[in-house]
Amino acid sequence: MICILLVAGHDTVLETQIKNDFTGLYSHLTGVPKALLPGVGGKKILDFWWETVNMRQLFSEVYLVTNADKYKHYERWATANDFPLENVVNDGSTTLEGRLGAVADLELAIRSRKLQDDIMVIAGDMLCADQNFDIAQVLRFFRSKPGELVIYYELEEGERSCSRGIVEVCPETHRITRFLEKPRDGLTMSRLASVVFYCLRKATLPFLSDFLSLRLDAQDRTLGMLWEWLINEEKLPVFGMKLATGFQLIGQVALSDYKRWLAHYSAKQQESPGKPIICRSYARVGLMGNPSDGFNGKTIAMTISNFWAEVTLTESQTLVLLPHPLNDPTEFGSLQDLFCISRKEGYLGGLRLLQATCKKFYQFCSKQGIALTKQNFTLKYDTNIPRQVGLAGSSAIVSAALKCLMKFYNITDTDLPKPIRANFILSVETDELFITAGLQDRVVQVYEGLVYMDFSKELMDENGYGEYIPMDMSSVPPLWLAYLDDPSDSGRIHSNVRQRWLNGDPDVIETMKSFAELTDQAKVAMQSRDWTKLACLMDQNLKLRRSLYTDEGLGPGNLRMVQLARQFGSAVKLPGSGGAVVGLCLDHDKLVELKKAFQEAGCVFCEIVPYDPISEYI
């Protein structure tokens, strides 16, 4: 791969305004070409790009294309920065009117230096908001695609699309379907702006001379017009990669533009870099539906604020994952202490969840064409979600960690939509850690609140995800939750139901259909606030589950809690995989007695506090 930095523009507007600035603040910059102006942190704009591409393991050669008017400036810069002087290409132009045009400058470098390799093209006078992106990741993505590569970013508030080359990108393939050079308002809804940061394959280079033969005027020889022609007319396969940063100072700009964007990007760099990012995800209770959403069924679930997992991300010199002192113990009081802790809580805490999330996140962004900045961080977590009682404690840690990573790297809901985010969290657990799990927990922890979910085969096959509908939180009755204090064995559910379902067992298939019907009925009951009907449906839900798994499969601890709830006339069901029960008791006096009975039976009892995400923004 060869890199070509283009700095041959004649910046007459900016240069004239610096020369005529009456304040005298910029007099020392008179005559200095745009690429050699101070950028973020005082470093010259071109210095940043040279440091970025000066990597022998990535580029065999780096060339700089300038004009005759500013050649001496770049000659001196090359000498001072150990840039090979023989790689500075002079296009011979001395005025804006006599310019060759960017495509002609690029073609001149390729032709005069007899370059025969893939080419990366960058405008060396672009001001970049974040100077830590990973250019190696860009090259890996380019080599993974059967075509050219265009880098784009999302326009910031206040930027107009008519000032940029705008791309429309297929979200599945990342192929650019249309390129619009400075489109008029209303021509496209896209806010994705292409910048002069491209990769061209060796086989595509002859297209440059073909394009130049069709465009004789220099003003028509822009790189934006080249891509518009290659993509819209020649139908070349061109792919897009997003950088979660901004780019400015492209083309003819004024002194006010330079001052404004330099101040804006400098302020961004100084925005409390050490301030930690703290994100929470909440435990969930399944209120209705099949016991696992891996059966193409329907469910209603809700996040609860009683229990949560919290992840904290702080920028740091190296990437550090901190073990939790309680959940990831490495020091024990004695061998007996180790035995008791391991027996009750197992061997694996949350540290592996953080590591798997980070690994999968990098892999996902690379595949999806999102270049990440080269920033390191320290991750730590805390959680009060009880273990092994089916309240989705593991996925809560993954979900909270993902929120932190998205904020840190400026990954938006457009880059990682909620349905895909739920799939991502599931893949961390199933693909990386081989945890048996389904989508329900991950969906409700991403959407938060009360969520109706339809995982029908038709939807899953067509979209890769189901239909997820947030419900009004006023549809939630007063619910209670109880769980086993020591669920190590008695709360576990043992069965071969999934294998029977995969084998097409008609009894299992019909039961799953019945679960889906109960879910639809429960949705109506909750919307109409018919708590008596909902209580009846919860009992029916449990009855179906017992018919499917048998009492022996449900486990003695779960059955004891169910029987205890029934003694006080409360509706009851299992909210997850076992170890806890959720109930609806419409008689307040009996609820008080119920709570006391569970506590005396050695269980933990609490009244559920639903987590409503909307309340955070009110």
Side-chain angles (χ1 to χ4, degrees):
M1 172 72 79
I2 291 171
C3 181
I4 298 178
L5 300 171
L6 298 178
V7 292
H10 296 271
D11 307 301
T12 55
V13 175
L14 181 58
E15 197 168 317
T16 301
Q17 291 187 356
I18 287 175
K19 184 178 180 180
N20 297 331
D21 180 57
F22 66 90
T23 67
L25 296 174
Y26 301 95
S27 58
H28 63 294
L29 299 178
T30 301
V32 175
K34 186 167 60 177
L36 298 182
L37 292 175
V40 177
K43 182 189 298 183
K44 292 182 178 66
I45 297 172
L46 184 58
D47 287 348
F48 156 66
W49 289 111
W50 174 227
E51 287 181 11
T52 301
V53 302
N54 186 19
M55 302 175 71
R56 280 289 174 185
Q57 66 269 35
L58 298 181
F59 302 102
S60 58
E61 293 286 351
V62 179
Y63 291 88
L64 184 76
V65 184
T66 184
N67 55 53
D69 183 46
K70 300 299 181 186
Y71 178 80
K72 279 293 181 183
H73 287 274
Y74 289 109
E75 183 182 50
R76 181 163 297 179
W77 172 87
T79 302
N81 288 275
D82 198 27
F83 186 94
L85 198 57
E86 64 273 16
N87 285 7
V88 180
V89 180
N90 187 336
D91 77 357
S93 67
T94 56
T95 64
L96 179 66
E97 293 73 23
R99 69 190 183 280
L100 275 65
V103 178
D105 281 323
L106 175 60
E107 192 271 343
L108 171 64
I110 294 169
R111 176 166 43 85
S112 65
R113 298 303 193 267
K114 297 178 173 58
L115 305 182
Q116 296 183 2
D117 201 348
D118 295 340
I119 303 288
M120 176 178 281
V121 184
I122 299 174
D125 55 5
M126 282 193 302
L127 191 62
C128 182
D130 197 322
Q131 306 187 13
N132 291 306
F133 62 83
D134 187 352
I135 202 162
Q137 192 181 15
V138 174
L139 289 178
R140 282 195 296 272
F141 184 74
F142 167 59
R143 287 169 179 147
S144 73
K145 298 296 179 183
E148 322 311 308
L149 179 65
V150 168
I151 298 298
Y152 64 87
Y153 76 104
E154 195 156 358
L155 290 173
E156 298 199 24
E157 189 175 349
E159 287 190 83
R160 296 183 62 190
S161 56
C162 62
S163 66
R164 294 283 182 267
I166 301 298
V167 294
E168 295 176 354
V169 185
C170 172
E172 286 78 32
T173 64
H174 312 293
R175 181 166 175 169
I176 296 177
T177 55
R178 193 160 65 136
F179 190 107
L180 301 166
E181 176 67 356
K182 299 179 180 178
R184 65 179 184 273
D185 291 342
L187 194 58
T188 178
M189 296 297 292
S190 175
R191 296 278 296 168
L192 306 178
S194 164
V195 293
V196 183
F197 193 156
Y198 316 116
C199 291
L200 288 159
R201 297 189 179 277
K202 173 184 174 182
T204 307
L205 300 183
F207 279 88
L208 298 180
S209 57
D210 295 342
F211 173 80
L212 292 172
S213 68
L214 299 172
R215 307 289 200 279
L216 301 180
D217 196 322
Q219 67 180 4
D220 296 328
R221 293 178 161 193
T222 67
L223 286 160
M225 290 182 175
L226 170 68
W227 289 110
E228 197 172 51
W229 177 69
L230 289 173
I231 294 168
N232 302 355
E233 296 182 34
E234 295 300 310
K235 307 298 182 185
L236 254 65
V238 179
F239 297 85
M241 186 177 200
K242 181 181 179 181
L243 285 181
T245 183
F247 294 89
Q248 288 297 331
L249 298 187
I250 303 164
Q252 293 287 314
V253 295
L255 178 59
S256 60
D257 297 318
Y258 169 63
K259 291 191 292 185
R260 183 175 76 255
W261 286 110
L262 182 59
H264 177 63
Y265 287 166
S266 297
K268 274 193 166 185
Q269 295 260 320
Q270 296 167 8
E271 279 178 0
S272 306
K275 186 177 180 180
I277 297 169
I278 303 173
C279 295
R280 274 190 176 187
S281 284
Y282 295 86
R284 70 91 191 91
V285 291
L287 297 180
M288 193 63 58
N290 52 294
S292 168
D293 46 281
F295 301 101
N296 295 129
K298 297 178 181 180
T299 65
I300 295 175
M302 180 178 68
T303 48
I304 62 175
S305 59
N306 306 67
F307 302 109
W308 44 263
E310 183 177 273
V311 173
T312 301
L313 183 152
T314 307
E315 190 169 355
S316 56
Q317 288 296 313
T318 58
L319 200 156
V320 181
L321 305 178
L322 294 178
H324 191 278
L326 296 178
N327 300 324
D328 304 289
T330 56
E331 186 174 331
F332 303 88
S334 65
L335 191 59
Q336 180 186 6
D337 186 28
L338 180 149
F339 168 79
C340 293
I341 290 174
S342 302
R343 176 185 173 275
K344 184 176 181 180
E345 300 187 4
Y347 304 101
L348 302 170
L351 197 62
R352 63 180 183 140
L353 298 170
L354 297 183
Q355 185 171 350
T357 304
C358 292
K359 186 255 188 184
K360 201 75 174 178
F361 180 77
Y362 183 86
Q363 180 182 345
F364 174 87
C365 290
S366 298
K367 187 177 179 181
Q368 294 298 313
I370 302 169
L372 300 176
T373 54
K374 291 192 292 185
Q375 295 169 276
N376 284 325
F377 52 83
T378 295
L379 271 187
K380 65 178 181 179
Y381 79 98
D382 192 13
T383 181
N384 71 346
I385 301 175
R387 299 182 68 175
Q388 299 183 353
V389 297
L391 296 180
S394 293
S395 59
I397 294 173
V398 176
S399 176
L402 180 59
K403 288 180 185 178
C404 285
L405 291 170
M406 290 179 67
K407 283 189 177 183
F408 185 66
Y409 288 108
N410 194 28
I411 304 301
T412 67
D413 285 349
T414 302
D415 302 319
L416 188 46
K418 286 183 176 180
I420 306 302
R421 205 181 309 167
N423 289 353
F424 172 93
I425 295 168
L426 179 63
S427 71
V428 169
E429 297 178 83
T430 57
D431 297 351
E432 299 297 321
L433 303 173
F434 307 106
I435 298 172
T436 301
L439 270 171
Q440 173 183 244
D441 302 355
R442 291 86 202 154
V443 171
V444 73
Q445 286 172 333
V446 166
Y447 282 81
E448 300 182 324
L450 181 67
V451 185
Y452 168 90
M453 293 162 264
D454 182 352
F455 299 100
S456 70
K457 189 176 187 303
E458 294 75 18
L459 288 170
M460 296 298 294
D461 288 346
E462 181 178 352
N463 303 320
Y465 51 84
E467 181 181 25
Y468 312 136
I469 304 174
M471 295 175 63
D472 187 348
M473 293 298 288
S474 66
S475 301
V476 180
L479 298 164
W480 58 265
L481 177 76
Y483 58 91
L484 298 169
D485 191 37
D486 183 7
S488 54
D489 276 318
S490 60
R492 293 177 182 170
I493 293 177
H494 307 278
S495 81
N496 61 348
V497 171
R498 177 154 184 82
Q499 191 57 52
R500 288 169 59 195
W501 182 77
L502 291 171
N503 292 340
D505 186 318
D507 290 338
V508 176
I509 291 172
E510 285 304 311
T511 303
M512 294 305 167
K513 289 180 181 177
S514 298
F515 276 124
E517 291 168 3
L518 290 179
T519 302
D520 286 334
Q521 294 176 47
K523 180 183 177 186
V524 174
M526 296 181 79
Q527 289 171 336
S528 61
R529 299 176 63 84
D530 187 347
W531 306 147
T532 302
K533 176 64 174 176
L534 180 62
C536 179
L537 292 169
M538 290 176 70
D539 284 336
Q540 290 182 52
N541 200 106
L542 179 64
K543 184 179 180 181
L544 265 182
R545 190 162 184 175
R546 292 178 75 169
S547 73
L548 192 63
Y549 287 86
T550 73
D551 286 353
E552 183 180 348
L554 284 178
N558 295 320
L559 287 175
R560 281 199 308 273
M561 290 189 290
V562 167
Q563 290 161 1
L564 190 57
R566 290 270 172 79
Q567 289 177 22
F568 293 89
S570 177
V572 65
K573 69 178 292 294
L574 273 64
S577 58
V581 290
V582 60
L584 172 56
C585 185
L586 300 176
D587 186 323
H588 182 267
D589 292 336
K590 286 188 175 180
L591 179 62
V592 174
E593 296 177 26
L594 176 68
K595 178 178 181 178
K596 184 178 179 182
F598 266 100
Q599 291 172 336
E600 291 176 354
C603 296
V604 180
F605 184 97
C606 60
E607 295 181 24
I608 285 177
V609 181
Y611 175 72
D612 184 357
I614 296 177
S615 65
E616 288 195 352
Y617 304 101
I618 297 176

